[in-house]
Amino acid sequence: MTPGGPPVLILGVRRSGTTLLRVMLDRHSQLAVPDESYFVPQLADRHLRRIDADDFVDDLRRLNTLAEWDVPLDQVRARLRDGMPVGTAIATVYAVYAEARGKERWGDKTPMYMQNLRLLERLFPDARFVHLIRDGRDAALSFLAMRRGIVTETWMHPRTAADFACQWRTEVAAARRLGRRAGGRYLEVRYEELVADVGGVLRRICGFADLAYEPAMADYAGNVDVSAKPHQQRLMQPPTQGVRDWRTQMARPDVEAFEHVAGDLLRELGYDTSRSAGAGGRARAGWYAARALAWRGSSFGLRRSFLWRRRHPVLRG
């Protein structure tokens, strides 16, 4: 069993409501779901299948996220052993984080991991996956409205509705394929249902995760510090329907461009659409998937090289 019990991993394309769901689940008395971690693929690539405990902790000292979380690394080191599977070692970090907050279980919400789903399956074989899906056109509106500099921009960064459609189609389809493999460890939830029936959806998620439902999970408004996160100011308010509505807020050419790439998946999911994906749109999505594969390959090479530690100096003793 994974240290800390079966983790609850929130999946979802960026701007699909995953932060809202994270905040709700983190308010559960038994579950700690921190903000985005980013380090799981880094540590997995750095240490492959099994760890050297001292080398693993040396890498932990270099991670901004763990410094921000204030994870007690001495407690992590006390639980590690040479030859431990890397997934168990990574889970130990989360388990110590949860215990420091008086909680028994842990989860994660990092949309970037939608590019690493098979890795998550391998590292955490008992994980419960909660896939939050939002109409991709509304997610695109939200994403493209963010001010520059809020999120790290790489050469994979979507800059148009069609670009975002490629990411949305690729990642949603990949998560649904994971669902077919994972069977009863995968739950699909719609963002539109969550904001319309918070209690009902949270009860369903809690039942799936073997947690008792707690009404306090929905009482997050005004209890979340978003002062340093201008793109998360909606968390100051209760769940609100219709914050983004592509029907009235998205330019018609952008609607057509999105549907040209992902109209078939929108329709498969039950969302209204005026057209299915065209051959050109499918080719564009395929090109995106090829570039994403190349990005993962180049990232792996960097993490395995001496350059990774040069770029990540020690932050804590």
Side-chain angles (χ1 to χ4, degrees):
M1 177 180 289
T2 300
V8 179
L9 304 184
I10 301 172
L11 307 179
V13 180
R14 289 181 291 183
R15 310 307 290 174
S16 292
T18 54
T19 298
L20 171 65
L21 182 56
R22 180 199 76 80
V23 167
M24 292 177 175
L25 294 183
D26 186 56
R27 288 180 61 78
H28 196 284
S29 63
Q30 297 180 39
L31 182 67
V33 188
D35 208 349
E36 297 174 15
S37 58
Y38 301 113
F39 57 74
V40 170
Q42 295 187 63
L43 293 173
D45 288 348
R46 293 276 302 154
H47 300 274
L48 299 179
R49 296 287 176 169
R50 296 186 179 274
I51 69 162
D52 175 285
D54 288 335
D55 284 348
F56 186 82
V57 173
D58 184 65
D59 282 353
L60 297 184
R61 293 192 178 101
R62 301 168 184 270
L63 296 173
N64 286 327
T65 301
L66 296 188
E68 293 168 359
W69 291 0
D70 197 25
V71 174
L73 297 184
D74 56 335
Q75 295 182 29
V76 175
R77 178 62 183 90
R79 303 184 191 193
L80 301 179
R81 66 179 188 279
D82 290 339
M84 174 181 281
V86 66
T88 304
I90 294 172
T92 299
V93 176
Y94 283 98
V96 169
Y97 169 90
E99 290 171 15
R101 286 149 182 81
K103 299 188 178 185
E104 302 173 5
R105 304 249 320 258
W106 62 270
D108 185 276
K109 186 283 296 186
T110 308
M112 184 186 75
Y113 296 167
M114 291 289 277
Q115 299 281 343
N116 304 96
L117 297 179
R118 286 194 177 273
L119 175 65
L120 296 182
E121 287 182 88
R122 175 172 67 83
L123 295 177
F124 313 121
D126 57 349
R128 309 291 175 87
F129 299 99
V130 180
H131 183 196
L132 186 62
I133 298 177
R134 184 183 190 182
D135 187 313
R137 293 158 296 189
D138 289 335
L141 274 172
S142 181
F143 181 83
L144 296 173
M146 286 195 301
R147 296 199 309 270
R148 297 287 296 271
I150 290 179
V151 297
T152 302
E153 298 185 17
T154 69
W155 56 278
M156 293 293 295
H157 186 82
R159 302 187 187 281
T160 67
D163 288 344
F164 191 88
C166 290
Q167 179 177 0
W168 184 86
R169 176 191 176 116
T170 300
E171 295 183 356
V172 170
R176 300 192 93 202
R177 289 194 297 272
L178 178 152
R180 290 191 286 273
R181 297 191 300 271
R185 293 188 297 109
Y186 171 90
L187 177 68
E188 202 165 274
V189 176
R190 300 300 172 85
Y191 168 82
E192 295 82 4
E193 296 174 350
L194 175 63
V195 297
D197 182 16
V198 175
V201 172
L202 288 179
R203 287 179 187 277
R204 181 152 53 100
I205 293 173
C206 286
F208 165 76
D210 291 329
L211 295 166
Y213 171 69
E214 296 178 356
M217 297 165 67
D219 185 24
Y220 66 86
N223 294 311
V224 182
D225 181 10
V226 294
S227 57
K229 298 180 178 180
H231 58 302
Q232 295 181 5
Q233 296 304 303
R234 293 286 180 187
L235 292 175
M236 298 298 294
Q237 306 169 9
T240 305
Q241 299 182 60
V243 171
R244 299 286 180 182
D245 187 349
W246 63 269
R247 295 173 183 81
T248 59
Q249 299 174 9
M250 182 176 260
R252 189 64 207 170
D254 286 344
V255 174
E256 293 175 353
F258 192 102
E259 294 180 358
H260 186 59
V261 172
D264 53 348
L265 183 53
L266 285 168
R267 186 169 296 173
E268 180 182 323
L269 291 166
Y271 292 113
D272 293 335
T273 177
S274 60
R275 62 182 298 172
S276 293
R282 288 192 293 271
R284 185 168 186 161
W287 172 235
Y288 170 86
R291 288 190 298 147
L293 183 62
W295 174 259
R296 290 196 294 277
S298 63
S299 297
F300 176 81
L302 173 62
R303 292 163 184 164
R304 294 293 297 166
S305 78
F306 72 95
L307 293 173
W308 187 88
R309 283 187 172 173
R310 180 174 294 179
R311 295 180 61 178
H312 295 80
V314 173
L315 301 174
R316 292 192 286 172

